[in-house]
Structures are given as C-alpha cells and as structure tokens.
Amino acid sequence: MSVVLAATVGALFTVGTFLLLRRDLMRVVFGVAAVSQATFVYLIAMGGVDEGTHDLVPVLAGHGSDVPTVADPVVQALVLTAIVISFGTTALALVLSYRAYEENESMDVTEWVR
Amino acid sequence: MSGLVIAPLLVVLVTAVLALALGRRPRVQRAASVAGVAAYAAVVSAVVWAVVLGPDAPGAAAYQLGGWPAPFGITLVLDGLSAFMLTITAVVGLASMLFSVRYVSAENQRVYYHPLFHLLTVGVTGAFLTGDLFNLFVWFEVMLIVSYVFVAFYGTDYATAASFRYLVLNVFGSALMLVAIGGLYATTGTLNMADMARRLAEPAAYGVDPAPAVGLAALLLAVFALKAGLVPFQFWVPAAYTAAPPPVTAMFAGVTKKVGMYAIVRLYFTVFAGAPVGIDVPGVPGGSPLAFLAPVLAAMGVASILVGGFGAVGQDRLERVFAYSSVGQVGFIAVAVAVAAAATGPLRGVAIAAALVFALHHSLAKGLLFLGAAAVKDATGTDSLPDLGGVAGRSPVLSSAVFVGLLSLVGLPPLTGFFGKLLTFDAAARGLATDARALSALALAALLLGAVLTILYTTRVWARGFWGLETPAVEVATVDTGQVAVVAALAVMVVLVGVGFDPVYRFAETAASAAVDSEAYVDVVGLDGGGSA
C-alpha cells in the first residue's frame, strides 16, 4: 500500500512541477491543481492507512463480511479542509488567468508585461 | 479571561460580514467599516491589557474552540508575542483603513474593498492567535486569498500578471507547508503546537523520533520566508506591492510580512527549540533545530539587506523604492532572529526583543511611507522621482511627515527606527562578544552596509522627490487634508514611540520571553484536558 501511495505522490509532484514550469497559462493552473493533489495524497499517507478492524469501523464492517482499510480520521479532516481551500484557489486562478488573457491578449506568460 | 482571546477575531469577522451586507449602501458601509477597525483596535488594546500588560494579568491565556480540550480541539492562544503582533496589526490597520476611505475612489470602494480589507485582518489575527499548526495553514490561506484579490484589485495588465505570479508562488508554498505539516503529524502524532513542543522536548517519554523534525522545520522555514519576502524568495515583492492599492500595501508591508517572521519565531523558538537533535554547524553552538536555523536565516537576512538596499537605490518610483526597501528591512529582522537562534542564555531573549522592536519600527515607518507616497501620487498623479520635486514647498506637513519616516528608516534618535537599529546592532555585537563569532561578525558587517544603503536611498528620495524646484506636476497639486492627517498621525506615532520608548521595550521584552518560554506556553494551553484560567 505504501509503495503505491509513494509512487502516486511522486508521480503527481512530477506532473505538477512539470506543468508549473510551462509557459502556457492553463498548464500552470493545472500544475497548481496537480501539486495540491499530490500533497493531499501525501497527507493521507502520513496519517497511515491500516487494515480496518470491526472496532475501528463498526458501521462499514457491518455491511458484508469485508472490513475495509481505513485512513486516520484526523488527516481525512485535514485533507477535506485543504481540498476546499485548493478548490477556491484554483477557481480564483482560473478567473485570474482569463482576466490576464483579456488584459495581455496572450496565454503565454513570457509575452506578459513585466 | 479565556473568552477574551477570541474577541479580536469575532470583532473583525462581524465587521467583515457587516461590510459585505451593507454593500448596497456605500456611506453606511464606509462608516461601519471605519467603526469596525476602531472597535478592533479598542478590543485588541483591552485584551492585551487584560491578558498581558495589566497589573494582575496572567501573561497568557488560551481559548479552546467549541470547548474541546487542548490536544484534540483547536486552541487559540494569546501570549506576549501574539499580543505584540496584534498591537502592530491594530495600529497599521486603523491608519490604512482611515487612509483608504480618503484615497480609494468611491466606485472602487463599492467593489468589495471593505469586506476584503477586514478579511485580510481576519486572516492575520487568526494566524497570530492560533495554537494549532494546521490551523496556522488555514489562516495563512485566508490571508493569502484576500491578498491575491487585492494585488489584482485594479485589474490592469500589470496587476493581473503580478497577482497570477504571486498566486502560483504561494500555492506552491502552501503545498510545501502541507507537506511539512503532514510530516510533523506523522513524526510527533499531534498538530497542537504546545503538544508538539512537549513531545519534541522529551522524545523518549512519548516515543517520538525528533530527527525528521529538523528537515520538516527547514521546509517550513522556506514557506515562511516566502511569506516574509526574504531573499531568495523576494522576487514577488516589488510587483505585488506596486500593483495593490497603496493603503493595502501598507498592510502588506506592515502586517502580513510580519506574519511570516512571527511564524518563524513561534515555531522555531517555542516549538522546535527543545528538540534534542544534535547538529554540528561550524561556528554555531547548541544542539537543536535552532543551530540549523541560525546560519541559514543569517544568510537569508544578509542577502535580503543587500538585495533590498541595492535594489532600492536603483529605483525611480517612490512605491518601488519602498517595496525594495521593505525587502531590506525584513532582512534586519531576520538577522536579529538569527542572532537569537545562535545565542544561548539571556542573549536569545534580547535579540528577539530587538527583532520585535525592529518589526514595530518597520510597520510604522513603512506604513507611513507607503501612505505618504500614495498621498503624493494622489495629489500629483505620479510617483516617479524624475517627475517629482518641490513637494516640500507645496505641502510642508506631508513632506515633514514623510521626512520623519525616512529619518526613522535611517535610524536617527529619538525615532522608533533608532531603537530598532540600536538593539539589532547591540544584539549582533553581544553575539560577537560571546559565542557564535563568525556568524555575528558577518551579521554586523551586513547591518552596517545595510544602514549605509538605507541612508543612500532615503537621501535620494528626499533630495529628488521632495526638495528642489517644483515640477509641473507638483505645481498644480493639491493634497487631500484627510490623507495628510493620517500620514502626520503616523509620523507623530513614530516620534512618540521613540520618545516614550521604555514601556514599548518592556512590552517587546515580555513578548520575547513569551516566545522563548515554551514551558509556559505548554502550561497555558493546558494539555491535560483541564483547559486554562
């Protein structure tokens, strides 16, 4: 499980960093979103993902014989908060990039005024 | 007593909502907004008096949100350090709100200016008060989202570009902060700053391995240095500061920048200082994450002083001179904090007090200068030095006020800046006399060079912008008396704080001792489920 999580975090950070360094505005915004996603997966991994027991998840375990794996509820709350913030920031970034496109008439960051 | 801690936050939140609700009635909104800032200042002074400064004040108080006991719920803590920063916020906030009402055009004030202004204060206040690491992130975001909007406020090509760059940079910074917070949670098993301090101080008792905390703390240092605009993270500062409305720039330079420095001091000195991790750094004694902080922060501070100083000398617009100057001035604060980190014993408190006094000086003087530059720009239509000249003859009051601000930056007694510089030099010199020699010598040399650069660019601003013959732009200028009154009031404040410096210094000392006393911090948060006084 941790290998999968680590690989996911690594891949997301790679993609995010790559996109952040593009000249095209939309890619930068997608890069911002990808980097944020990477930190969310990382946060979940930091809380630990364990085999669930009947004590740990009584409701989920009551439906069917399988007990699912569970993540630390504290980091789930943190990630939830961070997702909301990231959602707002990404929306603002999209609005700003549209506005910047209107003002500068280009999606290419290098053609902007200094 | 503990209920008081949340009062400043509630006041400013209510004001923000009220300003939003009154959006259709501009006059009422403006009145409510000014009243709200005044109420904030009043509440902050009352709370600070009751909790920290008053005759039988407890020195610190904690408020458990929702009644959830400390390590599990979110705690708000008001101690000397937070109180000092809140006081700065209240003063700068009041001045820049009064100035905005006269400066920002009526149409622009209707475009969410007032609610945003208060939400900026909400973010800052929350960041100063919170005792929870993740909550610190949340308050940072509140503050940052508002500042993105403010940087883009005028909607010009320059402003949107500046705002977009600022946003991307800070989102990446926030991602790094989350990584650090997640790591610290995995390392220590807690997010409460007091609990974290306790666990890191006695790792064996709690089964914690403190070693990863050093690297994660370094990550946090990068994030906070980005917020504070320290070199090498300073490149967003000039663009963002010139794009935002000038009264808000006064808030940026005076208050939000200090949030980064506050977070460095709070986390390193209160939370991480006790962690027994041996790191050998040449020239620096001590064996905690602080030993790592000292040389890094000193290097950043020295670089900031140089980049800010040389950058300011070369600029032709008032706002840009002051924007670069504020990079340099934050460097002075960072150097003082670095001296504190390298020091052991009482020097540590002295150096933090020096950093705090310098922060106070910078907030007042730079707020005054940004507002003064805005008043000049409003009257003449330009703030570029070649087009200015003779403002001193046109408006003596405004010019004398700006002159006081410039002198305070230079550090002439008895202005606030004199004490800021004196204490910083004193701390560095004392560091030279005891241990940490190489570091202190470097810091002292940079401080001297920085002081010389400050004299250079302030002289240039004064000689080219305010003295000399009146240029065409200045000849027809009429300054707004309301704006001048605010700037002059700040100038009087700079003089008064300098003249009556003793109580201010005692406040800074209280704040510094609160910053280094993590046991008291742990006590007041009351981790054993008991709550606090």
Side-chain angles (χ1 to χ4, degrees):
Chain A
M1 193 66 192
S2 24
V3 177
V4 179
L5 282 174
T8 316
V9 172
L12 279 171
F13 262 120
T14 315
V15 172
T17 314
F18 176 75
L19 288 173
L20 270 182
L21 297 173
R22 298 286 88 190
R23 282 158 44 165
D24 183 81
L25 213 53
M26 286 318 297
R27 286 170 206 220
V28 176
V29 176
F30 282 127
V32 165
V35 167
S36 307
Q37 292 301 327
T39 53
F40 303 154
V41 180
Y42 170 88
L43 267 182
I44 289 287
M46 279 298 111
V49 181
D50 296 324
E51 286 298 319
T53 59
H54 284 271
D55 293 340
L56 216 53
V57 277
V59 178
L60 292 178
H63 298 275
S65 55
D66 288 349
V67 182
T69 50
V70 288
D72 185 340
V74 175
V75 290
Q76 291 188 34
L78 301 191
V79 167
L80 201 57
T81 315
I83 285 176
V84 173
I85 292 172
S86 154
F87 178 70
T89 321
T90 312
L92 183 65
L94 283 172
V95 173
L96 259 183
S97 48
Y98 179 64
R99 180 78 193 142
Y101 171 69
E102 276 188 338
E103 286 292 338
N104 296 292
E105 292 179 345
S106 168
M107 291 302 263
D108 188 337
V109 181
T110 54
E111 288 172 17
W112 281 4
V113 285
R114 291 281 128 196
Chain B
M1 180 62 74
S2 63
L4 278 177
V5 174
I6 202 172
L9 207 51
L10 285 181
V11 168
V12 69
L13 199 59
V14 167
T15 316
V17 173
L18 209 60
L20 195 61
L22 293 173
R24 283 166 166 276
R25 314 202 40 200
R27 281 170 171 276
V28 187
Q29 184 197 38
R30 226 171 295 166
S33 192
V34 170
V37 176
Y40 178 75
V43 166
V44 164
S45 40
V47 171
V48 166
W49 181 259
V51 176
V52 180
L53 292 179
D56 42 55
Y63 179 80
Q64 319 289 353
L65 281 176
W68 288 86
F72 310 110
I74 293 165
T75 313
L76 296 181
V77 190
L78 183 82
D79 66 346
L81 184 59
S82 322
F84 194 84
M85 305 311 285
L86 280 181
T87 313
I88 293 181
T89 312
V91 173
V92 178
L94 189 57
S96 61
M97 174 43 86
L98 289 175
F99 192 88
S100 331
V101 172
R102 301 291 301 188
Y103 179 85
V104 180
S105 65
E107 305 87 74
N108 274 334
Q109 283 196 39
R110 296 184 63 176
V111 193
Y112 303 118
Y113 183 88
H114 291 282
L116 283 173
F117 189 95
H118 296 297
L119 286 172
L120 184 69
T121 320
V122 168
V124 170
T125 311
F128 287 146
L129 284 178
T130 185
D132 181 282
L133 200 53
F134 189 77
N135 226 239
L136 184 67
F137 163 78
V138 174
W139 291 121
F140 265 34
E141 290 302 312
V142 171
M143 181 179 97
L144 285 171
I145 291 180
V146 177
S147 53
Y148 307 145
V149 181
F150 266 134
V151 173
F153 191 75
Y154 284 131
T156 58
D157 51 355
Y158 182 78
T160 40
S163 180
F164 193 82
R165 292 197 178 100
Y166 179 52
L167 181 145
V168 171
L169 206 61
N170 273 301
V171 169
F172 196 71
S174 305
L176 287 187
M177 189 173 174
L178 274 183
V179 168
I181 290 171
L184 282 170
Y185 177 64
T187 307
T188 62
T190 181
L191 288 165
N192 186 295
M193 277 153 40
D195 200 15
M196 198 176 279
R198 186 176 66 167
R199 286 173 185 228
L200 284 173
E202 296 168 58
Y206 295 94
V208 168
D209 176 16
V214 181
L216 295 164
L219 212 52
L220 281 179
L221 177 66
V223 177
F224 296 148
L226 174 68
K227 310 301 190 232
L230 281 168
V231 172
F233 306 108
Q234 92 295 355
F235 41 86
W236 58 270
V237 173
Y241 278 26
T242 39
V248 179
T249 308
M251 281 293 276
F252 282 0
V255 179
T256 58
K257 232 175 198 211
K258 306 298 183 304
V259 177
M261 294 311 297
Y262 162 82
I264 290 176
V265 171
R266 170 63 83 211
L267 281 177
Y268 270 90
F269 289 90
T270 314
V271 178
F272 297 132
V277 189
I279 315 169
D280 285 326
V281 183
V284 180
S288 73
L290 282 177
F292 154 82
L293 172 72
V296 177
L297 199 59
M300 283 173 153
V302 168
S304 300
I305 290 174
L306 297 182
V307 169
F310 281 113
V313 170
Q315 297 300 320
D316 264 345
R317 286 180 53 204
L318 281 180
E319 275 187 345
R320 287 189 83 86
V321 173
F322 296 143
Y324 272 100
S325 148
S326 94
V327 172
Q329 301 282 313
V330 169
F332 280 89
I333 304 175
V335 166
V337 175
V339 169
T344 44
L347 176 57
R348 179 172 285 181
V350 172
I352 293 186
L356 290 176
V357 170
F358 203 99
L360 171 69
H361 141 66
H362 180 242
S363 298
L364 290 178
K366 201 43 72 61
L368 156 63
L369 289 174
F370 273 119
L371 295 183
V376 170
K377 193 178 177 182
D378 202 29
T380 63
T382 176
D383 73 335
S384 87
L385 287 175
D387 297 338
L388 287 173
V391 179
R394 193 81 203 163
S395 172
V397 181
L398 174 63
S399 304
S400 346
V402 170
F403 191 57
V404 169
L406 292 173
L407 286 183
S408 183
L409 272 194
V410 170
L412 217 69
L415 305 173
T416 323
F418 166 70
F419 293 101
K421 279 224 165 98
L422 176 73
L423 291 169
T424 311
F425 273 101
D426 179 50
R430 281 206 223 178
L432 192 64
T434 55
D435 31 40
R437 283 170 192 283
L439 191 73
S440 299
L442 176 73
L444 209 52
L447 290 178
L448 271 176
L449 185 56
V452 173
L453 284 171
T454 314
I455 295 174
L456 267 182
Y457 65 74
T458 47
T459 317
R460 195 164 161 275
V461 162
W462 180 252
R464 296 195 46 192
F466 289 85
W467 251 355
L469 291 174
E470 291 186 12
T471 56
V474 177
E475 271 170 10
V476 293
T478 40
V479 289
D480 183 291
T481 28
Q483 294 177 6
V484 173
V486 175
V487 178
L490 272 176
V492 170
M493 189 104 187
V494 168
V495 177
L496 279 185
V497 171
V499 171
F501 185 65
D502 196 46
V504 179
Y505 186 64
R506 265 183 279 135
F507 190 10
E509 264 185 330
T510 314
S513 56
V516 295
D517 192 352
S518 52
E519 276 176 28
Y521 189 78
V522 172
D523 279 348
V524 77
V525 172
L527 289 169
D528 303 318
S532 65

